[in-house]
Amino acid sequence: MTRLSSLPAALRARLAQRSALKVIAGLMNFDADSVARVARAAGLAGADLIDVACDPELVALAIRESGGVPVCVSSVEPEQFVAAVEAGAAMVEIGNFDAFYPQGRIFGAAEVLALTRQTRALLPEVVLSVTVPHVLPMDQQEQLAVDLVEAGADLIQTEGGTSAKPFSAGSLGLIEKAAPTLAAAHSISSALQQAGLEAPVLCASGLSAVTVPMAIAAGAAGVGVGSAVNRLNDELAMVAVVRGLREALGSAITIRV
């Protein structure tokens, strides 16, 4: 029995089918109204997981407003996870780190590994996802992912949207935006496989309905999408975007089968 077996059956099935969809409200988004809108859209449009800031009240809110979609909490302070898990969070996540880069806050491999070990010591039985910082060279991202899984991470998440500099319009621009996280998903999933380690990779940051099928093709078991949803003010528009992502993932799986 692995820790992943403690996740709800529907989420486990999506990860196994490599079609999991996580909607991200934002690591620093503590606005209850905003989180509620994201949660409702995620629930209505078929998301498998909602990622919220590490706050027990937001956990309860997201579960309620989404109609019971599993909740993941994100933080870079492991001690905050305990109360969130007690409030009903199904899993915890270190990262992602995109919100910190504009502040000049950079997370190195040693710090992320230390945070992982600290979290695992605090919560030995809770499912743990860890983001690999995209500021590291790719070979270091690969090695860190291996080290993280060996240290107790159950899932690995990629990032890279903030470093992308798309210069084209339309679909080409969307592909350019997603390129760093897609490359990381491919390299990290390959490195884990070569090391004989089994840990689903979630590809996140800078993705859209155009690029989520590419994430799955690159080796990801699922995707995380934030700004494409949480930056919207209209709830119907949020539902439409999440539904489009869900359909794009469904298309990706149909093609692969």
Side-chain angles (χ1 to χ4, degrees):
M1 293 284 286
T2 66
R3 281 180 294 266
L4 288 173
S5 65
S6 68
L7 292 174
L11 176 55
R12 292 201 314 272
R14 290 287 194 185
L15 288 169
Q17 296 162 3
R18 299 176 60 211
S19 61
L21 172 59
K22 177 173 74 168
V23 175
I24 304 168
L27 180 147
M28 293 186 177
N29 181 8
F30 291 91
D31 182 330
D33 290 338
S34 171
V35 173
R37 288 194 297 272
V38 172
R40 285 193 293 269
L44 287 169
D48 304 299
L49 189 65
I50 302 171
D51 193 319
V52 303
C54 196
D55 178 276
E57 293 184 3
L58 292 182
V59 172
L61 174 70
I63 293 172
R64 182 175 67 250
E65 294 296 325
S66 69
V69 175
V71 170
C72 170
V73 288
S74 291
S75 179
V76 295
E77 299 178 45
E79 62 276 6
Q80 294 182 349
F81 288 136
V82 177
V85 170
E86 291 174 350
M91 59 186 285
V92 301
E93 180 174 291
I94 297 169
N96 75 12
F97 307 113
D98 283 344
F100 295 95
Y101 297 133
Q103 305 170 11
R105 176 76 165 91
I106 303 298
F107 290 80
E111 183 176 9
V112 175
L113 190 56
L115 290 171
T116 299
R117 289 172 174 150
Q118 185 180 349
T119 303
R120 184 47 72 215
L122 281 171
L123 299 166
E125 302 303 324
V126 175
V127 175
L128 170 61
S129 174
V130 184
T131 303
V132 173
H134 79 266
V135 294
L136 297 174
M138 194 61 74
D139 61 335
Q140 293 182 30
Q141 290 190 45
E142 295 171 6
Q143 184 58 55
L144 177 57
V146 170
D147 294 342
L148 291 171
V149 174
E150 291 178 340
D154 302 296
L155 299 97
I156 296 295
Q157 182 168 285
T158 65
E159 61 174 18
T162 56
S163 71
K165 303 256 188 300
F167 52 86
S168 303
S171 296
L172 181 55
L174 294 173
I175 294 170
E176 292 166 355
K177 176 73 171 174
T181 197
L182 293 173
H186 179 269
S187 296
I188 287 172
S189 61
S190 297
L192 292 174
Q193 185 175 22
Q194 289 171 10
L197 298 172
E198 293 187 11
V201 173
L202 294 179
C203 185
S205 184
L207 297 177
S208 65
V210 171
T211 52
V212 292
M214 298 178 186
I216 302 305
V223 299
V225 180
S227 60
V229 178
N230 62 41
R231 69 183 178 187
L232 301 173
N233 293 318
D234 182 276
E235 204 165 312
L236 287 176
M238 288 182 170
V239 171
V241 170
V242 178
R243 185 167 292 144
L245 293 164
R246 176 79 275 158
E247 291 172 354
L249 282 169
S251 298
I253 294 304
T254 300
I255 291 169
R256 291 180 63 83
V257 171

